[in-house]
Amino acid sequence: GEEFEEKICLYTGAKHSILVNNGTSGLRLALHIIGVEKNEEVLITPFSFVATANAISHLGAIPHFIDIEEDSLSMCPKALEKRLNKIAFKKDGKVFNRNTGRRISALMPVHVFGIPSNLSGILKISKSWGVPIVEDAAEALGSWFNFDKNKIHCGLMGDLGVISFNGNKLITTGGGGVIITNNS
């Protein structure tokens, strides 16, 4: 396991990687690590495999869908910003949904079919609102961002990223997955 984690770090450029039994568990663990709790909302796209929403539900949290953009098929930064401006407010350093009263505790863009989402736009919104990002990079092993003249692997722009090794992925172990991050 450790040798494979090291090779994932070498390939992706991640400082850290943690093997998990599958991508769904990796997403759930990543959300838990950044502090998502029961009855909180996680903003995701409606265009993804059910595991994205399931990972949220496994924590007792609630998926909150944000529209996708045509180019990346992932979360649209304009739709995200519009939605937050319409329903969200900050209180004591946290973000809440004024319609439901629930805390908005994370953003989870998905790199659909390995196409990098528009994370430069999503990152600006994340920083502005103070909401962390877990990247669903399940299908994005080998997908890179060109960001500020640097190549950055999908999963490493947000706080944590999760890659899947399910039977339909580029590398398969029959199941399995890995959390990647540069955050110690």
Side-chain angles (χ1 to χ4, degrees):
E2 287 181 28
E3 182 180 349
F4 189 58
E5 288 174 336
E6 288 173 15
K7 289 187 180 203
I8 289 291
C9 286
L10 283 172
Y11 180 73
T12 63
K15 291 181 182 173
H16 310 283
S17 68
I18 304 156
L19 289 173
V20 291
N21 66 323
N22 60 47
T24 307
S25 294
L27 291 171
R28 183 200 178 283
L29 180 57
L31 290 168
H32 173 75
I33 289 168
I34 63 166
V36 174
E37 295 182 3
K38 187 176 184 177
N39 294 319
E40 295 181 343
E41 296 180 17
V42 177
L43 280 54
I44 64 171
T45 77
F47 190 60
S48 180
F49 184 63
V50 70
T52 309
N54 281 348
I56 297 163
S57 297
H58 290 170
L59 289 170
I62 295 98
H64 181 132
F65 296 107
I66 302 296
D67 202 4
I68 64 172
E69 62 180 3
E70 184 177 345
D71 293 342
S72 70
L73 304 175
S74 186
M75 186 179 290
C76 176
K78 290 176 185 172
L80 173 62
E81 187 168 40
K82 183 178 178 182
R83 185 73 176 147
L84 285 170
N85 286 336
K86 182 177 180 181
I87 59 110
F89 68 95
K90 289 183 186 179
K91 181 181 176 187
D92 301 324
K94 295 180 180 178
V95 178
F96 292 89
N97 181 331
R98 72 173 39 94
N99 297 333
T100 64
R102 295 188 290 250
R103 179 175 171 237
I104 297 172
S105 54
L107 306 175
M108 192 156 47
V110 180
H111 305 297
V112 179
F113 306 128
I115 302 167
S117 63
N118 184 347
L119 263 180
S120 58
I122 295 169
L123 277 168
K124 288 176 189 168
I125 297 164
S126 165
K127 288 179 181 164
S128 170
W129 283 91
V131 179
I133 296 174
V134 170
E135 293 175 60
D136 182 338
E139 299 177 328
L141 182 63
S143 296
W144 302 82
F145 296 102
N146 290 315
F147 191 76
D148 290 339
K149 299 180 183 177
N150 294 311
K151 280 181 65 175
I152 300 173
H153 196 278
C154 287
L156 294 175
M157 296 276 287
D159 297 272
L160 298 160
V162 179
I163 297 170
S164 173
F165 302 125
N166 194 34
N168 61 340
K169 302 301 187 279
L170 290 175
I171 293 178
T172 181
T173 56
V178 66
I179 298 172
I180 59 174
T181 185
N182 287 325
N183 185 335
S184 297

